[in-house]
Amino acid sequence: MKILSTLTALGMIAFAQPAFAQLETYKDYDISDTVSSVTTVKVDANMGDYYLEGLKGTWVASNEVAKKLGHIEDYAIYASALPVSGEFNMILVVQYKNTADLAPSKAKYDAFMKEWGAQNVKKSREVTKTYPDIRTITGEYMMHEITMK
């Protein structure tokens, strides 16, 4: 019984070891100014290509305009090689220079709408009406890159 208690105590100490870690921001690791908006999406089985087709004319096209105007740094779509497993199977990422770029701005909105145009607004509204039939947004996150020193 004493051996079992000792082994249990040693096991608890081994698992508690990470609690002693005391990393310091900017001393032990850096946090990027760049912030990424990450959306996780569960696309229904066999609907990935349909969803991508819709994204090409809406999300991708609008991000191209935003990138051209300097409102965003970049964007990306990631798809799972195992599309029917897990809580999500696609990730949409938009990268901003910093969190200030996320703030509302009438000037940026007006510039975007001028470039995007009323025809694209109408087209996007029609296409995105079908999205709830083929996908579910499972999460939205604002992420900073961490670089260990």
Side-chain angles (χ1 to χ4, degrees), residues 30-98:
D30 288 329
I31 301 173
S32 68
D33 289 337
T34 302
V35 62
S36 295
S37 169
V38 178
T39 303
T40 56
V41 182
K42 180 67 169 186
V43 181
D44 293 346
N46 300 317
M47 291 290 134
D49 287 340
Y50 292 104
Y51 187 51
L52 288 172
E53 181 179 14
L55 288 178
K56 184 177 180 182
T58 58
W59 190 82
V60 170
S62 65
N63 280 322
E64 280 295 323
V65 171
K67 189 174 176 180
K68 177 182 170 186
L69 293 171
H71 297 175
I72 66 171
E73 297 276 303
D74 208 357
Y75 65 93
I77 301 172
Y78 297 91
S80 174
L82 306 170
V84 294
S85 64
E87 294 296 315
F88 59 89
N89 52 17
M90 200 168 287
I91 301 173
L92 309 177
V93 180
V94 179
Q95 190 175 55
Y96 299 87
K97 185 176 180 179
N98 54 48

Side-chain angles (χ1 to χ4, degrees), residues 16-23:
Q17 193 64 22
F20 295 118
Q22 296 296 314
L23 294 181

Side-chain angles (χ1 to χ4, degrees), residues 10-28:
L10 287 173
M12 290 173 57
I13 290 170
F15 285 115
Q17 193 64 22
F20 295 118
Q22 296 296 314
L23 294 181
E24 292 183 38
T25 308
Y26 303 113
K27 179 182 174 191
D28 299 308

